[in-house]
């Protein structure tokens, strides 16, 4: 049996991921390394202290329990956004409420963090009060600097969704970025708070 | 590569070194973070590369006509 | 197939080959070719500035204390600032923008057969942030207190505490400029990778992508995966400088070695970030002028990937005497010596490409061969530095200076000249003058070797890197060593003088050069299928790709090249 080889015009290969999602994916890799840098710094400086001296005894304790609750909220917001993405494939209307709830939970998380910061500063934990305070504010602040723009972007996308103008690629990219914000937080919580 | 663990065992920290001071928590933290920082990008990029490989494999299998010819329905 | 179908989510503006206005071209360009040229010109201006700083401090080293023409008397603080900013500018504002951003922007869409980058607006933003960073770094030299003088590695506590470095504003601006520059390249790198992955012409499978596109993408991935920790360190250092945190201050529970840790995690992959695009350009030029297929396309690719993987495991070799655990030093010695294997293999594959080819010694080819020659010297001299035992002696000596200039000069200048002279016809539509090009080549190569080979001798004699005036040291101020320093400085003056030959050739050819045809070098890759220079939207007819990029001298064909887009 002979093989028949057809010469045909080459076909444009379908992108595996759309442009916006692919760009976001590489951005997330860079950002993961940013947090890896902070975590490494934290681990190294923590090891400079004798056991029991970190966090320094005279400094206020972090609100572990409240943050555990807000961490759960953030994780729930990630799940809700994932669900919104599933619903969005059917219709924009179906995704409206889970997305709104997800953004609300995310905003609530950032808000509670802000209240925590005000309290901690009042109790004497500041950027300059100790290395521990410095790392706490820099790491948590870096996370907030990612969460807040992400919330703004999601809010804008929700408006577009209500008008029926939201592009699926842009939504997928924003979701991907929000998953990063959600999933990096438990790592930071485990490192800094526990 | 098999030599690496052996070499790590053979050398002991130089006690004369003012900074490393013969091990301790700080030196261990540096070793840990070195491994962490070096391995993390490879894990991330390896994950992405694997994802693309897996997707490409699926796409090519779907497009491949041979071996996937519709089976003749067995006649009762 | 309509353009809209090929690039459904590209930019919205009109994409036909209309004549762009000056503002569209140079002030707010969205066209990748003009953004690439902006990067190129900015990089060239910064190279002149960095070269001037080198001239100033070399004059001080050769004839200490005398008035330097065009500079005047140099104080120790000015010397430190000149050395620091020479290094920073040459790496971050010359090598990076020219090799990755300029060539990446110009070449990637053309070589993969796309009309533009996938995110043209982000691309423009990337250049604007970069330009801002360049302005900040230059301005940092003229603020009260002078420019930052704590070496390009900026080790704390010298960089963190204003009472030590005495340049409170200069050091903060230096750090800000570096951080801004990283943001610019982060945006640019995302664009390069996404374009190369999603906008390739029909038929361009991964083994048909030109090598330089591969290399720029691998370099961008390396950059993105390594820059994070340094950004983290930069934020902490900035807080140490400005609001008085103590991340790197041991008296307050911080750790000064931590900065080195975060800096070199980026700092060493950075070497490969700039190396890979240069080797990629050599991989395009060598087959074209040897009229022979690139020897071992896949092997070259895998050596590049192998280099990328290993480059994450070598960075601590910069800290052998900073007090890292000797057990780790052993491991990093081995990985450092290992990484020379893929790079050496890549160079030998290029040499194997030459074997049996009908070589044409044009200016780009001379530069490409010069790159292989000079870079191999740079690579070989790195091995004693990578060995932790030998490094204890060589550390911070002129041997290190000579070694990394033998790697960075071939990358940032020889490689760039190879690429520039090769793609000049495509960039500006005219040919460069070959005679002037060859004069420039020989003048640069000879004076470059005269400049840096003696520095190996100085380093072995024990000369330390960061000394303002060697005559204050009885062992180093002896006439023999001082003569070598004068010789080095003279070679530098010759080297700088020859660069004006290039500048003259570059500028005059832009207006007076012979008009270039579409494909003056008879090359195969897709950018030669466009008019010279390509109009807005690049291709008159979007190409399909039928074969690999290096099909030269295929038997039984009339012409000795076979462009990628010609149907069989």
């Amino acid at each position: 049996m002979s093989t028949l080889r057809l010469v045909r015009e080459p076909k444009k290969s379908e992108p595996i991921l759309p442009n916006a999602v692919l760009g976001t994916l590489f951005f997330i890799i860079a950002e993961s390394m940013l947090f890896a840098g902070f975590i490494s710094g934290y681990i190294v400086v923590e090891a400079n202290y004798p056991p029991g001296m970190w966090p320094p005894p005279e400094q206020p304790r972090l609100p572990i329990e409240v943050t555990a609750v807000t961490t759960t909220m953030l994780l729930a917001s990630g799940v809700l956004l994932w669900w919104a993405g599933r619903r969005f494939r059917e219709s924009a209307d179906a995704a409206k409420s889970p997305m709104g709830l997800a953004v609300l939970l995310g905003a609530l998380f950032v808000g509670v963090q802000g209240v925590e910061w005000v309290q901690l500063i009042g109790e004497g934990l500041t950027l300059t009060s100790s290395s521990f305070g410095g790392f706490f504010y820099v790491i948590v602040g870096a996370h907030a600097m990612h969460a807040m723009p992400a919330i703004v972007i999601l809010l804008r996308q929700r408006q577009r969704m209500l008008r029926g103008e939201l592009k699926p690629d842009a939504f997928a990219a924003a979701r991907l970025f929000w998953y990063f914000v959600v999933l990096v937080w438990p790592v930071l919580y485990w490192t800094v708070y526990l | 590569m098999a030599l690496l663990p052996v070499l790590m065992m053979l050398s002991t920290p130089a006690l004369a070194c003012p900074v490393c001071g013969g091990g301790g928590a700080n030196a261990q933290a540096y070793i840990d973070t070195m491994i962490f920082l070096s391995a993390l990008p490879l894990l991330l990029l390896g994950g992405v590369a694997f994802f693309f490989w897996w997707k490409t494999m699926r796409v090519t299998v779907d497009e491949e006509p041979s071996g996937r010819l519709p089976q003749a329905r067995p006649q009762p | 197939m309509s353009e809209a179908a090929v690039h459904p989510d590209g930019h919205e503006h009109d994409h036909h080959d209309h004549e762009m206005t000056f503002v569209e071209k140079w002030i707010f360009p969205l066209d990748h070719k003009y953004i690439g040229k902006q990067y190129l010109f900015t990089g060239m201006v910064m190279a002149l500035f960095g070269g001037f700083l080198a001239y100033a401090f070399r004059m001080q080293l050769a004839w200490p204390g005398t008035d330097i023409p065009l500079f005047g008397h140099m104080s120790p603080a000015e010397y430190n600032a000149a050395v620091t900013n020479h290094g920073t500018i040459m790496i971050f504002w010359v090598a990076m923008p020219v090799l990755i951003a300029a060539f990446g922007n110009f070449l990637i869409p053309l070589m993969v057969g796309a009309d533009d980058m996938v995110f043209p607006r982000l691309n423009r933003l990337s250049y604007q942030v970069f330009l801002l960073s360049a302005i900040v770094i230059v301005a940092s030299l003229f603020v009260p207190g002078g420019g930052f003088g704590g070496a390009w590695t900026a080790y704390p506590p010298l960089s963190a505490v204003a009472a030590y470095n005495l340049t409170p504003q200069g050091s903060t601006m230096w750090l800000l400029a570096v951080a801004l520059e990283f943001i610019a390249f982060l945006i640019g790198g995302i664009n390069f990778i996404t374009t190369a992955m999603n906008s390739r012409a029909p038929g361009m499978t991964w083994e048909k992508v030109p090598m330089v596109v591969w290399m720029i993408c691998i370099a961008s991935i390396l950059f993105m995966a390594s820059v994070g920790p340094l950004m983290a360190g930069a934020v902490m250092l900035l807080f140490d400088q400005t609001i008085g945190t103590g991340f790197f201050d041991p008296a307050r529970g911080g750790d000064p070695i931590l900065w080195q840790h975060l800096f070199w995690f980026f700092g060493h992959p950075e070497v490969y970030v700039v190396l890979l695009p240069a080797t990629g350009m050599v991989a395009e030029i060598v087959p074209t002028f040897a009229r022979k297929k690139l020897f071992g396309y896949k092997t070259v690719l895998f050596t590049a990937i192998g280099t990328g993987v290993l480059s994450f495991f070598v960075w601590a070799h910069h800290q052998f005497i900073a007090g890292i655990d000797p057990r780790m030093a052993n491991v990093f010695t081995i990985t450092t010596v290992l990484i020379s294997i893929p790079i050496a293999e890549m160079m030998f594959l290029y040499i194997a490409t030459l074997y049996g080819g009908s070589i044409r010694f044009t200016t780009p080819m001379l530069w490409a061969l010069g790159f292989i020659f000079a870079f191999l010297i740079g690579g070989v001299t790195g091995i004693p530095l990578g060995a932790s035992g030998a490094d204890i002696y060589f550390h911070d000596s002129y041997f290190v200076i000579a070694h990394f200039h033998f790697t960075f000069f071939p990358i940032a200048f020889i490689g760039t000249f190879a690429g520039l002279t090769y793609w000049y016809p495509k960039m500006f539509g005219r040919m460069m003058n070959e005679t002037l090009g060859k004069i420039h080549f020989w003048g640069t190569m000879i004076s470059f070797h005269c400049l840096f080979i003696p520095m190996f001798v100085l380093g072995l004699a024990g000369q330390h890197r960061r000394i303002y005036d060697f005559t204050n040291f009885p062992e180093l101020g002896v006439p023999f060593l001082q003569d070598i320093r004068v010789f080095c400085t003279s070679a530098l003056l010759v080297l700088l003088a020859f660069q004006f030959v290039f500048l003259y050739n570059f500028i005059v050819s832009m207006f007076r050069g012979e008009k270039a045809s579409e494909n003056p070098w008879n090359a195969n890759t897709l950018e030669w299928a466009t008019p010279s220079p390509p109009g807005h939207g690049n291709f008159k007819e979007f190409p399909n790709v039928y074969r690999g990029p290096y099909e030269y001298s295929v038997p039984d064909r009339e012409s000795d090249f076979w462009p990628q887009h010609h149907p069989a």
Side-chain angles (χ1 to χ4, degrees), chain B residues 11-46:
Chain B
S11 52
T12 47
L15 288 171
C17 164
V19 194
C20 25
N26 182 256
Q28 192 58 45
Y30 272 114
I31 293 180
D32 294 347
T33 52
M34 268 176 191
I35 295 167
F36 170 60
L37 278 180
S38 299
L40 187 61
L42 291 184
L43 287 177
L44 291 172
L45 294 172

Side-chain angles (χ1 to χ4, degrees), chain C residues 197-543:
Chain C
M197 284 180 86
N198 280 2
S199 301
R200 294 198 307 274
M204 188 176 265
T205 50
W206 67 271
E207 79 281 5
K208 296 192 179 100
V209 176
M211 200 43 81
V212 67
V213 176
W214 267 115
M215 296 282 192
I216 292 177
C217 285
I218 296 172
S220 302
I221 292 175
L222 282 187
F223 177 80
M224 281 192 282
S226 63
V227 76
L230 179 54
M231 283 298 270
V235 169
M236 294 196 269
L237 188 57
L238 196 64
F239 283 173
D240 270 15
Q241 285 177 351
T242 50
I243 55 178
T245 53
F247 292 115
F248 301 119
D249 184 358
R252 302 173 55 198
D255 196 329
I257 308 284
L258 176 61
W259 167 263
Q260 303 183 18
H261 202 55
L262 300 175
F263 180 89
W264 286 117
F265 180 76
F266 166 78
H268 203 83
E270 165 69 15
V271 175
Y272 297 97
V273 169
V274 291
L275 165 67
L276 289 177
T279 57
M281 293 195 287
V282 173
E284 298 295 323
I285 293 164
V286 166
T288 305
F289 295 110
R291 312 309 293 169
K292 196 161 162 270
K293 197 173 173 153
L294 179 67
F295 188 85
Y297 176 96
K298 285 184 184 169
T299 317
V300 173
L301 177 60
F302 290 141
T303 55
I305 294 173
T307 311
V309 169
L310 273 175
S311 73
F312 287 111
F313 292 101
V314 297
W315 48 282
H317 65 216
H318 295 272
Q319 293 167 267
F320 282 153
I321 67 158
I324 70 164
D325 197 296
R327 290 169 295 176
M328 285 317 266
N330 276 345
V331 175
F332 277 97
T333 298
I334 292 169
T335 52
T336 304
V337 178
L338 268 184
I339 202 168
S340 60
I341 294 174
I343 285 294
E345 190 174 349
M346 192 190 286
M347 295 299 144
F348 292 130
L349 289 168
Y350 297 160
I351 295 169
T353 306
L354 295 170
Y355 180 75
S358 49
I359 298 172
R360 299 173 187 177
F361 286 104
T362 54
T363 313
M365 184 62 166
L366 286 176
W367 284 115
L369 298 176
F371 173 85
I372 296 174
F373 175 75
F375 186 79
L376 276 176
I377 297 181
V380 165
T381 52
I383 291 175
L385 292 172
S388 54
D391 182 67
I392 290 171
Y393 179 72
F394 288 131
H395 191 92
D396 262 356
S397 74
Y398 265 63
F399 195 88
V400 179
I401 301 267
H403 159 68
F404 73 66
H405 281 91
F406 254 104
T407 56
F408 265 100
F409 190 91
I411 293 167
F413 291 96
I414 300 183
T416 300
F417 287 138
L420 259 185
T421 46
Y422 182 62
W423 279 292
Y424 190 90
K426 195 47 71 185
M427 284 182 174
F428 300 103
R430 289 172 190 272
M431 307 296 287
M432 283 178 101
N433 186 322
E434 281 284 308
T435 317
L436 284 177
K438 281 173 184 154
I439 291 172
H440 173 226
F441 170 77
W442 288 110
T444 306
M445 283 302 274
I446 292 169
S447 54
F448 159 67
H449 286 87
C450 291
L451 170 55
F452 289 111
I453 286 179
M455 286 194 192
F456 286 117
V457 181
L458 288 175
L460 289 171
Q463 177 173 316
H464 190 272
R465 281 170 82 162
R466 308 191 201 281
I467 288 174
Y468 164 65
D469 181 356
F470 287 104
T471 50
N472 294 335
F473 296 83
E475 301 85 359
L476 295 175
V478 292
F480 169 62
L481 295 179
Q482 194 60 31
D483 287 348
I484 295 181
R485 281 176 213 124
V486 173
F487 180 75
C488 287
T489 302
S490 318
L492 174 75
L493 295 178
V494 176
L495 178 68
L496 289 176
F498 270 103
Q499 302 321 304
F500 289 99
V501 178
F502 174 77
L503 272 185
Y504 173 82
N505 192 2
F506 186 83
I507 293 166
V508 170
S509 301
M510 216 182 282
F511 303 103
R512 299 257 176 86
E514 182 195 338
K515 285 259 184 205
S517 64
E518 238 179 49
N519 191 355
W521 311 119
N522 290 344
N524 282 345
T525 38
L526 288 180
E527 80 271 26
W528 304 106
T530 61
S532 299
H536 193 42
N538 294 347
F539 292 91
K540 291 223 165 73
E541 190 181 335
F542 279 88

Side-chain angles (χ1 to χ4, degrees), chain C residues 180-204:
Chain C
L180 280 174
E181 202 255 5
F182 291 159
I183 293 169
F185 285 126
L186 190 60
I187 302 171
I190 289 171
N191 228 332
F192 297 155
I193 298 167
T194 315
T195 307
M197 284 180 86
N198 280 2
S199 301
R200 294 198 307 274
M204 188 176 265

Side-chain angles (χ1 to χ4, degrees), chain A residues 108-121:
Chain A
L108 210 58
F109 167 81
V110 177
V112 175
Q113 288 289 316
V115 175
E116 262 182 28
W117 276 32
V118 174
Q119 282 176 352
L120 286 169
I121 291 171

Side-chain angles (χ1 to χ4, degrees), chain B residues 6-69:
Chain B
V6 178
L7 277 166
M8 282 193 65
M9 294 296 180
L10 281 177
S11 52
T12 47
L15 288 171
C17 164
V19 194
C20 25
N26 182 256
Q28 192 58 45
Y30 272 114
I31 293 180
D32 294 347
T33 52
M34 268 176 191
I35 295 167
F36 170 60
L37 278 180
S38 299
L40 187 61
L42 291 184
L43 287 177
L44 291 172
L45 294 172
V48 172
F50 177 78
F51 172 76
F52 276 94
W53 175 79
W54 177 70
K55 275 288 212 190
T56 327
M57 284 295 122
R58 268 197 3 174
V59 170
T60 12
V61 166
D62 287 350
E63 282 178 353
E64 195 65 60
S66 61
R68 286 211 158 200
L69 293 173

